[in-house]
Amino acid sequence: TDAETLLFGNTPDDAAIAAAAETASSVPGLDDVHASKAYRRKLAVVMTRRALLQARDRATRKEPAHG
C-alpha cells in the first residue's frame, strides 16, 4: 500500500507517520444516515495515525509489554 511504501525502510518519525496516515483518506467512503463520506475518510486518517503511533511506541518501548 502507499502507507507501507512511505514507512518501509524509514524511521517512523511523526512526519512519516502523518504522511502514511494521510493515505487512508483515499479509502472509498459511504454516505448514510450515520456519517458522511468526508467524515468517514477523516476518521480513517485519524485512526490510522493513532494505530501507527501506538505501534511505533510499542516497538520502541524498553520495558516488557503487558497483555
Side-chain angles (χ1 to χ4, degrees), residues 18-62:
E22 213 36 60
T23 66
S25 67
S26 65
V27 298
L30 172 69
D31 282 317
D32 65 15
V33 297
H34 301 290
S36 69
K37 183 188 313 186
Y39 176 79
R40 291 174 193 267
R41 286 184 172 162
K42 178 65 178 170
L43 187 60
V45 171
V46 170
M47 298 303 292
T48 301
R49 182 177 174 275
R50 287 180 185 175
L52 291 171
L53 287 170
Q54 186 176 33
R56 180 193 62 190
D57 291 347
R58 285 181 178 172
T60 59
R61 189 181 302 156
K62 303 255 189 271

